[in-house]
Amino acid sequence: MNTEISPLRKKQLIEFCKQRNLKFKDLSLLNLAFHHRSYANESNVQKYFNNERLEFLGDSVLGLATADFLYRDMSSNHQEGDLAKIKAAVVSEKALAPVAISYGIDKLLILGHGEELSGGRTKPAILADCMEAIIGAYYLDQGFESAKKYVLSFIEPEIRKVQKNGGKDFKSLLQELYQKKCKKIPVYELISVSGPEHAQIFSVSVHLENITYGPATGKSKKEAEQNAASMAYHAITS
């Protein structure tokens, strides 16, 4: 099985590690984490070269790292159900996919031709699975403590959001508030996209009838929408 990493690919992986402060001894593990099964299925040479085993492992590492943090962070007044609710929210596909986009993981994915044409690079399930595969690869390469540190670098901010908002993000909070008040839903408008392809900045406004909040920016459209929703929600409730 030919799994040799090209010089260009090696450069991309090293840059990814540099941006995320990761230290891989074996870059082939990280490279494997980006290989979706659709590519393997279309390849006679690399038929079994996909990230599913790493994803399986990374899912458990992610869950343990998150549970360990929550147990230590939250007082004994919070029962198992409280911890489980937060854990479920932050290790979900909904939470992981935007992080993957902000990390540029969509651009490093290795997909089959059919999956590429069907928009696989933007599918939340594929992005979240790749996030877990990277965690699994890092665990194998550097051990649990290093993998936990990497996990908490993006999971802790998500935990704080959930703790603050009772498990709801600002788009959900704004929609609930606005629907209750006006029986309508907020309308989001993409104002602009700027910057190089690997580091784009999205600008979004949110319209509540004749009142506009924003624009707010983010590293993804979803992040910009969340920031615009946060701006509107805080303006309405302050």
Side-chain angles (χ1 to χ4, degrees):
M1 179 166 58
N2 179 21
T3 58
E4 183 178 347
I5 304 174
S6 70
L8 175 59
R9 182 65 175 177
K10 185 176 180 180
K11 182 179 179 182
Q12 291 173 334
L13 295 173
I14 290 173
E15 181 61 26
F16 175 80
C17 289
K18 184 178 178 181
Q19 292 175 351
R20 304 273 68 84
N21 197 29
L22 300 176
K23 294 177 170 49
F24 268 91
K25 291 181 289 187
D26 184 0
L27 277 179
S28 66
L29 276 171
L30 177 61
N31 190 44
L32 177 59
F34 287 103
H35 279 68
H36 187 252
R37 67 176 177 271
S38 61
Y39 176 80
N41 290 342
E42 293 180 10
S43 172
N44 292 324
V45 179
Q46 298 183 334
K47 189 174 180 180
Y48 303 105
F49 193 75
N50 67 66
N51 64 6
E52 290 185 342
R53 282 167 54 88
L54 287 177
E55 175 205 334
F56 164 79
L57 180 60
D59 176 65
S60 294
V61 175
L62 170 64
L64 177 57
T66 304
D68 178 78
F69 178 84
L70 287 169
Y71 185 89
R72 297 174 191 278
D73 180 70
M74 299 179 71
S75 71
S76 58
N77 292 332
H78 294 91
Q79 298 303 304
E80 182 271 344
D82 299 323
L83 306 182
K85 179 181 178 182
I86 295 176
K87 178 175 176 285
V90 300
V91 303
S92 66
E93 178 183 299
K94 181 181 178 182
L96 292 176
V99 176
I101 293 288
S102 71
Y103 282 10
I105 285 172
D106 54 319
K107 297 176 178 63
L108 292 173
L109 282 167
I110 304 296
L111 304 171
H113 183 65
E115 192 62 68
E116 185 78 68
L117 291 177
S118 69
R121 290 187 187 278
T122 61
K123 290 181 180 178
I126 291 177
L127 292 166
D129 288 350
C130 186
M131 283 288 291
E132 292 177 343
I134 293 169
I135 294 166
Y138 202 47
Y139 166 76
L140 289 176
D141 193 84
Q142 294 292 321
F144 178 71
E145 287 304 319
S146 293
K148 178 183 173 183
K149 183 178 179 181
Y150 170 60
V151 166
L152 293 183
S153 70
F154 58 84
I155 284 294
E156 184 176 353
E158 296 302 314
I159 289 173
R160 298 307 181 208
K161 290 178 189 176
V162 176
Q163 288 172 332
K164 183 178 179 180
N165 302 320
K168 298 174 183 176
D169 58 36
F170 281 111
K171 284 186 70 176
S172 299
L173 290 167
L174 179 63
Q175 182 161 320
E176 288 179 9
L177 182 67
Y178 191 53
Q179 279 186 321
K180 185 176 180 180
K181 184 179 179 180
C182 301
K183 310 298 183 186
K184 296 181 180 180
I185 62 172
V187 177
Y188 294 87
E189 179 186 4
L190 179 63
I191 303 299
S192 66
V193 181
S194 60
E197 185 177 348
H198 68 281
Q200 290 181 323
I201 298 296
F202 294 78
S203 181
V204 169
S205 290
V206 59
H207 303 284
L208 306 181
E209 286 193 315
N210 60 336
I211 302 175
T212 299
Y213 296 92
T217 60
K219 294 179 181 178
S220 67
K221 184 180 177 183
K222 185 169 183 177
E223 181 181 301
E225 287 178 347
Q226 282 289 349
N227 290 337
S230 174
M231 187 183 298
Y233 182 81
H234 284 114
I236 292 172
T237 57
S238 61

